[in-house]
Amino acid sequence: MRTGSFESMVDAFYIFKKDLIQEFKTRYALNAIILFAVVTLTAVSFSIGVISADDDILCAMFWIILFFSSMSGLSHIFVREEETHTADTLKLVTCPTAVYLGKLLFNFMLLLALEIILVPLYFGLMDFYVRHLPLFLIVLAIGSVGLAGGGTIVAAIIAKASSRGALFTVLSFPVLLPLLISGISATRIAVNARSFTEASAELQTLTAYGVVVITVSILLFEFIWNE
Amino acid sequence: MLNRILPFFLFIWICLVIIGAFLYAPLAEGLGELTRVLYFHVPTAWVTVLAFLTGAVFSVLYLKSKSIKYDYYAESASQLGFVFCILATITGSIWAKMSWGSFWNWDPRETSVFILLLIYAAYFALRSAVEQEDKKAALSAVYSILAFVTVPFFVFIVPRVYTSLHPDPLVNPEGEIHMDAKMLTVFLSSLAGFTVLFIWMIRIKMNLVLIHLKLKEMEN
């Protein structure tokens, strides 16, 4: 097993590559997460119908769709290792930190793929107009890091528990809520065409959240992984 | 010896706090009879945080030592924390109804206490989902530490970013406490009383855990 920090970075990248190749064989997680987003978006758009919702509600709705879609796909990465019994082999070849970072990178990419589909659709279907687009994209990027970080560690917990799918949302929601709250608030600022400085408190919260959650996850992951 | 005197002393102390809260302490200006809920709401909220901290500390100890008793201790702390969290929510809700006009309106402080309830519920749900004892212990310890790390975001950051109607907690930005001497006496006594109550309760639970483990050992 390679445990040096540089080696674990390299290993993390290999694990990411492995998961990417595996994902494109079946495209299970990608299909699940994107279809979930489209279905939810359709449901929201259909039920709101011709009544135009105001921007504040649209911002909240966007993050709710993003949150629940990610809940449908983020846990797959660890559940798959448990179901195919490949986790033990991974344990032998590399250190836990590399596994966590590789899976985190994969989940982050999965979220980006989701957002590439979801954002234009949401803009089109919901008549959602963001006046400060760069701010919106930055909020989305930083938010995705936190979402992937929190989602990945909870996914690792869930994969070891016996009832897999059902608990994931329940466990993630309280942990991810600070991210959702500040994400929604920052999106509101972006929609109302204000400057970066006005969203600084939210951006700081989002960044701090991502850093804290990922650091703690790296420290704790070992205990779940070797269980 | 201490174990015998403590409950008796605690009983009298809490009785005095209740009498003090209703008869001795003067009412705050503009709040009227509402002031009295303060002497019970803040201590229960404080004990909730204390229990949450205790649970996280025991979780860390479990992960470090892998000794199963710490897992049971962490569970006990969380169970007590859950009870006090419900009490804090209810007393806070009464306050909200009387002072802001509705029992619940998603004020940042109300959100944070609600999240604590959710975290406890998720923690217990996770525990019930895993059957293997050491696995259950490790997973719930990790979850409880993870949750503990995100709670400061609710308690300190969210109320700063969003304006809250909630009066400042113990430490306000100016660093002073707006209470007269009599109120402060009752308030601090109540805080101390509830803290000792929590310590007494968790000690009982910890002893129960040890007895339970001993019995299990004897069975094998």
Side-chain angles (χ1 to χ4, degrees), chain B residues 143-167:
Chain B
Y143 186 72
S144 122
I145 297 168
L146 186 70
F148 183 74
V149 172
T150 55
V151 160
F153 282 92
F154 294 109
V155 179
F156 300 110
I157 296 173
V158 173
R160 295 284 174 278
V161 178
Y162 302 90
T163 44
S164 169
L165 293 170
H166 193 284

PDB file of all heavy atoms in Angstrom, chain B residues 143-167:
ATOM      1  N   TYR B 143     -20.644   9.645  12.054  1.00  0.00           N
ATOM      2  CA  TYR B 143     -21.748  10.550  11.725  1.00  0.00           C
ATOM      3  C   TYR B 143     -21.907  11.627  12.789  1.00  0.00           C
ATOM      4  O   TYR B 143     -22.131  12.799  12.465  1.00  0.00           O
ATOM      5  CB  TYR B 143     -23.055   9.771  11.557  1.00  0.00           C
ATOM      6  CG  TYR B 143     -24.169  10.667  11.071  1.00  0.00           C
ATOM      7  CD1 TYR B 143     -24.172  11.140   9.765  1.00  0.00           C
ATOM      8  CD2 TYR B 143     -25.191  11.082  11.916  1.00  0.00           C
ATOM      9  CE1 TYR B 143     -25.161  11.983   9.309  1.00  0.00           C
ATOM     10  CE2 TYR B 143     -26.183  11.922  11.472  1.00  0.00           C
ATOM     11  CZ  TYR B 143     -26.171  12.364  10.166  1.00  0.00           C
ATOM     12  OH  TYR B 143     -27.144  13.214   9.726  1.00  0.00           O
ATOM     13  N   SER B 144     -21.767  11.230  14.035  1.00  0.00           N
ATOM     14  CA  SER B 144     -21.976  12.216  15.089  1.00  0.00           C
ATOM     15  C   SER B 144     -20.879  13.284  15.072  1.00  0.00           C
ATOM     16  O   SER B 144     -21.151  14.461  15.319  1.00  0.00           O
ATOM     17  CB  SER B 144     -22.121  11.498  16.428  1.00  0.00           C
ATOM     18  OG  SER B 144     -21.182  11.912  17.349  1.00  0.00           O
ATOM     19  N   ILE B 145     -19.649  12.906  14.735  1.00  0.00           N
ATOM     20  CA  ILE B 145     -18.582  13.914  14.630  1.00  0.00           C
ATOM     21  C   ILE B 145     -18.820  14.817  13.423  1.00  0.00           C
ATOM     22  O   ILE B 145     -18.700  16.045  13.508  1.00  0.00           O
ATOM     23  CB  ILE B 145     -17.195  13.236  14.529  1.00  0.00           C
ATOM     24  CG1 ILE B 145     -16.902  12.448  15.808  1.00  0.00           C
ATOM     25  CG2 ILE B 145     -16.102  14.269  14.313  1.00  0.00           C
ATOM     26  CD1 ILE B 145     -15.713  11.534  15.698  1.00  0.00           C
ATOM     27  N   LEU B 146     -19.219  14.205  12.313  1.00  0.00           N
ATOM     28  CA  LEU B 146     -19.508  14.980  11.105  1.00  0.00           C
ATOM     29  C   LEU B 146     -20.607  16.009  11.368  1.00  0.00           C
ATOM     30  O   LEU B 146     -20.499  17.182  11.002  1.00  0.00           O
ATOM     31  CB  LEU B 146     -19.928  14.025   9.987  1.00  0.00           C
ATOM     32  CG  LEU B 146     -20.145  14.632   8.611  1.00  0.00           C
ATOM     33  CD1 LEU B 146     -18.821  15.060   8.016  1.00  0.00           C
ATOM     34  CD2 LEU B 146     -20.830  13.650   7.684  1.00  0.00           C
ATOM     35  N   ALA B 147     -21.665  15.554  12.046  1.00  0.00           N
ATOM     36  CA  ALA B 147     -22.768  16.459  12.357  1.00  0.00           C
ATOM     37  C   ALA B 147     -22.311  17.548  13.317  1.00  0.00           C
ATOM     38  O   ALA B 147     -22.680  18.713  13.181  1.00  0.00           O
ATOM     39  CB  ALA B 147     -23.929  15.676  12.969  1.00  0.00           C
ATOM     40  N   PHE B 148     -21.459  17.169  14.252  1.00  0.00           N
ATOM     41  CA  PHE B 148     -20.973  18.136  15.237  1.00  0.00           C
ATOM     42  C   PHE B 148     -20.177  19.255  14.568  1.00  0.00           C
ATOM     43  O   PHE B 148     -20.209  20.401  14.999  1.00  0.00           O
ATOM     44  CB  PHE B 148     -20.099  17.424  16.275  1.00  0.00           C
ATOM     45  CG  PHE B 148     -19.613  18.324  17.356  1.00  0.00           C
ATOM     46  CD1 PHE B 148     -20.487  18.760  18.340  1.00  0.00           C
ATOM     47  CD2 PHE B 148     -18.310  18.771  17.386  1.00  0.00           C
ATOM     48  CE1 PHE B 148     -20.059  19.606  19.344  1.00  0.00           C
ATOM     49  CE2 PHE B 148     -17.870  19.617  18.383  1.00  0.00           C
ATOM     50  CZ  PHE B 148     -18.751  20.040  19.359  1.00  0.00           C
ATOM     51  N   VAL B 149     -19.476  18.908  13.501  1.00  0.00           N
ATOM     52  CA  VAL B 149     -18.669  19.904  12.803  1.00  0.00           C
ATOM     53  C   VAL B 149     -19.545  20.883  12.023  1.00  0.00           C
ATOM     54  O   VAL B 149     -19.195  22.048  11.861  1.00  0.00           O
ATOM     55  CB  VAL B 149     -17.674  19.180  11.875  1.00  0.00           C
ATOM     56  CG1 VAL B 149     -16.949  20.160  10.998  1.00  0.00           C
ATOM     57  CG2 VAL B 149     -16.674  18.398  12.675  1.00  0.00           C
ATOM     58  N   THR B 150     -20.705  20.412  11.544  1.00  0.00           N
ATOM     59  CA  THR B 150     -21.543  21.317  10.759  1.00  0.00           C
ATOM     60  C   THR B 150     -22.450  22.186  11.622  1.00  0.00           C
ATOM     61  O   THR B 150     -22.948  23.204  11.150  1.00  0.00           O
ATOM     62  CB  THR B 150     -22.400  20.545   9.744  1.00  0.00           C
ATOM     63  OG1 THR B 150     -23.145  19.560  10.453  1.00  0.00           O
ATOM     64  CG2 THR B 150     -21.549  19.876   8.701  1.00  0.00           C
ATOM     65  N   VAL B 151     -22.645  21.784  12.879  1.00  0.00           N
ATOM     66  CA  VAL B 151     -23.559  22.558  13.731  1.00  0.00           C
ATOM     67  C   VAL B 151     -23.097  24.004  13.969  1.00  0.00           C
ATOM     68  O   VAL B 151     -23.923  24.913  13.950  1.00  0.00           O
ATOM     69  CB  VAL B 151     -23.838  21.808  15.049  1.00  0.00           C
ATOM     70  CG1 VAL B 151     -24.352  22.742  16.116  1.00  0.00           C
ATOM     71  CG2 VAL B 151     -24.851  20.726  14.800  1.00  0.00           C
ATOM     72  N   PRO B 152     -21.789  24.261  14.158  1.00  0.00           N
ATOM     73  CA  PRO B 152     -21.379  25.665  14.324  1.00  0.00           C
ATOM     74  C   PRO B 152     -21.857  26.569  13.193  1.00  0.00           C
ATOM     75  O   PRO B 152     -22.101  27.756  13.407  1.00  0.00           O
ATOM     76  CB  PRO B 152     -19.849  25.583  14.345  1.00  0.00           C
ATOM     77  CG  PRO B 152     -19.566  24.242  14.870  1.00  0.00           C
ATOM     78  CD  PRO B 152     -20.653  23.360  14.361  1.00  0.00           C
ATOM     79  N   PHE B 153     -22.013  26.002  11.994  1.00  0.00           N
ATOM     80  CA  PHE B 153     -22.506  26.812  10.893  1.00  0.00           C
ATOM     81  C   PHE B 153     -23.899  27.342  11.196  1.00  0.00           C
ATOM     82  O   PHE B 153     -24.227  28.474  10.877  1.00  0.00           O
ATOM     83  CB  PHE B 153     -22.546  25.990   9.596  1.00  0.00           C
ATOM     84  CG  PHE B 153     -21.207  25.831   8.965  1.00  0.00           C
ATOM     85  CD1 PHE B 153     -20.416  24.749   9.261  1.00  0.00           C
ATOM     86  CD2 PHE B 153     -20.721  26.791   8.097  1.00  0.00           C
ATOM     87  CE1 PHE B 153     -19.169  24.602   8.693  1.00  0.00           C
ATOM     88  CE2 PHE B 153     -19.470  26.666   7.526  1.00  0.00           C
ATOM     89  CZ  PHE B 153     -18.700  25.569   7.824  1.00  0.00           C
ATOM     90  N   PHE B 154     -24.720  26.509  11.838  1.00  0.00           N
ATOM     91  CA  PHE B 154     -26.066  26.961  12.183  1.00  0.00           C
ATOM     92  C   PHE B 154     -26.040  27.917  13.350  1.00  0.00           C
ATOM     93  O   PHE B 154     -26.724  28.922  13.366  1.00  0.00           O
ATOM     94  CB  PHE B 154     -26.949  25.769  12.583  1.00  0.00           C
ATOM     95  CG  PHE B 154     -27.201  24.842  11.466  1.00  0.00           C
ATOM     96  CD1 PHE B 154     -26.626  23.598  11.456  1.00  0.00           C
ATOM     97  CD2 PHE B 154     -27.996  25.233  10.424  1.00  0.00           C
ATOM     98  CE1 PHE B 154     -26.858  22.739  10.416  1.00  0.00           C
ATOM     99  CE2 PHE B 154     -28.233  24.395   9.381  1.00  0.00           C
ATOM    100  CZ  PHE B 154     -27.657  23.134   9.378  1.00  0.00           C
ATOM    101  N   VAL B 155     -25.242  27.562  14.355  1.00  0.00           N
ATOM    102  CA  VAL B 155     -25.305  28.315  15.601  1.00  0.00           C
ATOM    103  C   VAL B 155     -24.643  29.683  15.451  1.00  0.00           C
ATOM    104  O   VAL B 155     -25.141  30.677  15.964  1.00  0.00           O
ATOM    105  CB  VAL B 155     -24.655  27.508  16.739  1.00  0.00           C
ATOM    106  CG1 VAL B 155     -24.705  28.291  18.040  1.00  0.00           C
ATOM    107  CG2 VAL B 155     -25.380  26.188  16.906  1.00  0.00           C
ATOM    108  N   PHE B 156     -23.532  29.727  14.728  1.00  0.00           N
ATOM    109  CA  PHE B 156     -22.800  30.988  14.678  1.00  0.00           C
ATOM    110  C   PHE B 156     -22.919  31.722  13.354  1.00  0.00           C
ATOM    111  O   PHE B 156     -23.041  32.935  13.323  1.00  0.00           O
ATOM    112  CB  PHE B 156     -21.321  30.750  15.000  1.00  0.00           C
ATOM    113  CG  PHE B 156     -21.121  30.160  16.349  1.00  0.00           C
ATOM    114  CD1 PHE B 156     -20.691  28.863  16.517  1.00  0.00           C
ATOM    115  CD2 PHE B 156     -21.416  30.911  17.482  1.00  0.00           C
ATOM    116  CE1 PHE B 156     -20.532  28.315  17.776  1.00  0.00           C
ATOM    117  CE2 PHE B 156     -21.263  30.381  18.740  1.00  0.00           C
ATOM    118  CZ  PHE B 156     -20.823  29.072  18.889  1.00  0.00           C
ATOM    119  N   ILE B 157     -22.876  30.993  12.237  1.00  0.00           N
ATOM    120  CA  ILE B 157     -22.789  31.689  10.954  1.00  0.00           C
ATOM    121  C   ILE B 157     -24.163  32.074  10.407  1.00  0.00           C
ATOM    122  O   ILE B 157     -24.393  33.225  10.080  1.00  0.00           O
ATOM    123  CB  ILE B 157     -21.995  30.847   9.940  1.00  0.00           C
ATOM    124  CG1 ILE B 157     -20.560  30.711  10.461  1.00  0.00           C
ATOM    125  CG2 ILE B 157     -22.002  31.495   8.577  1.00  0.00           C
ATOM    126  CD1 ILE B 157     -19.685  29.794   9.685  1.00  0.00           C
ATOM    127  N   VAL B 158     -25.079  31.105  10.358  1.00  0.00           N
ATOM    128  CA  VAL B 158     -26.374  31.403   9.755  1.00  0.00           C
ATOM    129  C   VAL B 158     -27.089  32.577  10.450  1.00  0.00           C
ATOM    130  O   VAL B 158     -27.540  33.500   9.783  1.00  0.00           O
ATOM    131  CB  VAL B 158     -27.250  30.128   9.687  1.00  0.00           C
ATOM    132  CG1 VAL B 158     -28.650  30.453   9.234  1.00  0.00           C
ATOM    133  CG2 VAL B 158     -26.626  29.121   8.743  1.00  0.00           C
ATOM    134  N   PRO B 159     -27.141  32.625  11.787  1.00  0.00           N
ATOM    135  CA  PRO B 159     -27.790  33.779  12.418  1.00  0.00           C
ATOM    136  C   PRO B 159     -27.053  35.102  12.184  1.00  0.00           C
ATOM    137  O   PRO B 159     -27.645  36.160  12.328  1.00  0.00           O
ATOM    138  CB  PRO B 159     -27.785  33.428  13.912  1.00  0.00           C
ATOM    139  CG  PRO B 159     -27.641  31.965  13.947  1.00  0.00           C
ATOM    140  CD  PRO B 159     -26.785  31.614  12.775  1.00  0.00           C
ATOM    141  N   ARG B 160     -25.763  35.036  11.832  1.00  0.00           N
ATOM    142  CA  ARG B 160     -25.041  36.277  11.533  1.00  0.00           C
ATOM    143  C   ARG B 160     -25.402  36.774  10.141  1.00  0.00           C
ATOM    144  O   ARG B 160     -25.557  37.961   9.902  1.00  0.00           O
ATOM    145  CB  ARG B 160     -23.528  36.056  11.594  1.00  0.00           C
ATOM    146  CG  ARG B 160     -22.983  35.701  12.947  1.00  0.00           C
ATOM    147  CD  ARG B 160     -22.901  36.924  13.866  1.00  0.00           C
ATOM    148  NE  ARG B 160     -22.503  36.485  15.201  1.00  0.00           N
ATOM    149  CZ  ARG B 160     -23.349  35.997  16.091  1.00  0.00           C
ATOM    150  NH1 ARG B 160     -24.636  35.873  15.788  1.00  0.00           N
ATOM    151  NH2 ARG B 160     -22.921  35.615  17.270  1.00  0.00           N
ATOM    152  N   VAL B 161     -25.507  35.827   9.201  1.00  0.00           N
ATOM    153  CA  VAL B 161     -25.803  36.200   7.822  1.00  0.00           C
ATOM    154  C   VAL B 161     -27.257  36.635   7.677  1.00  0.00           C
ATOM    155  O   VAL B 161     -27.572  37.597   6.995  1.00  0.00           O
ATOM    156  CB  VAL B 161     -25.485  35.011   6.878  1.00  0.00           C
ATOM    157  CG1 VAL B 161     -25.840  35.360   5.442  1.00  0.00           C
ATOM    158  CG2 VAL B 161     -24.017  34.641   6.968  1.00  0.00           C
ATOM    159  N   TYR B 162     -28.141  35.915   8.359  1.00  0.00           N
ATOM    160  CA  TYR B 162     -29.562  36.247   8.277  1.00  0.00           C
ATOM    161  C   TYR B 162     -29.977  36.905   9.567  1.00  0.00           C
ATOM    162  O   TYR B 162     -29.638  36.427  10.640  1.00  0.00           O
ATOM    163  CB  TYR B 162     -30.384  34.976   8.055  1.00  0.00           C
ATOM    164  CG  TYR B 162     -29.970  34.246   6.836  1.00  0.00           C
ATOM    165  CD1 TYR B 162     -28.980  33.281   6.895  1.00  0.00           C
ATOM    166  CD2 TYR B 162     -30.518  34.568   5.608  1.00  0.00           C
ATOM    167  CE1 TYR B 162     -28.550  32.641   5.752  1.00  0.00           C
ATOM    168  CE2 TYR B 162     -30.097  33.933   4.466  1.00  0.00           C
ATOM    169  CZ  TYR B 162     -29.120  32.966   4.542  1.00  0.00           C
ATOM    170  OH  TYR B 162     -28.691  32.332   3.423  1.00  0.00           O
ATOM    171  N   THR B 163     -30.731  37.972   9.456  1.00  0.00           N
ATOM    172  CA  THR B 163     -31.139  38.643  10.682  1.00  0.00           C
ATOM    173  C   THR B 163     -32.113  37.759  11.437  1.00  0.00           C
ATOM    174  O   THR B 163     -33.033  37.196  10.877  1.00  0.00           O
ATOM    175  CB  THR B 163     -31.823  39.967  10.359  1.00  0.00           C
ATOM    176  OG1 THR B 163     -32.720  39.735   9.282  1.00  0.00           O
ATOM    177  CG2 THR B 163     -30.807  41.025   9.988  1.00  0.00           C
ATOM    178  N   SER B 164     -31.846  37.652  12.721  1.00  0.00           N
ATOM    179  CA  SER B 164     -32.708  36.828  13.555  1.00  0.00           C
ATOM    180  C   SER B 164     -33.409  37.722  14.560  1.00  0.00           C
ATOM    181  O   SER B 164     -32.863  38.732  15.000  1.00  0.00           O
ATOM    182  CB  SER B 164     -31.853  35.785  14.281  1.00  0.00           C
ATOM    183  OG  SER B 164     -32.619  35.166  15.269  1.00  0.00           O
ATOM    184  N   LEU B 165     -34.632  37.329  14.906  1.00  0.00           N
ATOM    185  CA  LEU B 165     -35.359  38.094  15.920  1.00  0.00           C
ATOM    186  C   LEU B 165     -34.973  37.627  17.320  1.00  0.00           C
ATOM    187  O   LEU B 165     -35.295  38.262  18.310  1.00  0.00           O
ATOM    188  CB  LEU B 165     -36.870  37.910  15.733  1.00  0.00           C
ATOM    189  CG  LEU B 165     -37.451  38.508  14.463  1.00  0.00           C
ATOM    190  CD1 LEU B 165     -38.883  38.028  14.291  1.00  0.00           C
ATOM    191  CD2 LEU B 165     -37.412  40.016  14.537  1.00  0.00           C
ATOM    192  N   HIS B 166     -34.300  36.486  17.360  1.00  0.00           N
ATOM    193  CA  HIS B 166     -33.964  35.876  18.647  1.00  0.00           C
ATOM    194  C   HIS B 166     -33.030  36.787  19.430  1.00  0.00           C
ATOM    195  O   HIS B 166     -32.061  37.309  18.882  1.00  0.00           O
ATOM    196  CB  HIS B 166     -33.278  34.539  18.375  1.00  0.00           C
ATOM    197  CG  HIS B 166     -33.144  33.661  19.573  1.00  0.00           C
ATOM    198  ND1 HIS B 166     -32.211  33.894  20.534  1.00  0.00           N
ATOM    199  CD2 HIS B 166     -33.829  32.563  19.953  1.00  0.00           C
ATOM    200  CE1 HIS B 166     -32.324  32.950  21.466  1.00  0.00           C
ATOM    201  NE2 HIS B 166     -33.298  32.131  21.129  1.00  0.00           N
ATOM    202  N   PRO B 167     -33.292  36.984  20.731  1.00  0.00           N
ATOM    203  CA  PRO B 167     -32.367  37.773  21.532  1.00  0.00           C
ATOM    204  C   PRO B 167     -31.007  37.085  21.516  1.00  0.00           C
ATOM    205  O   PRO B 167     -30.936  35.870  21.395  1.00  0.00           O
ATOM    206  CB  PRO B 167     -32.965  37.729  22.940  1.00  0.00           C
ATOM    207  CG  PRO B 167     -34.313  37.152  22.796  1.00  0.00           C
ATOM    208  CD  PRO B 167     -34.387  36.415  21.508  1.00  0.00           C
TER     209      PRO B 167
END
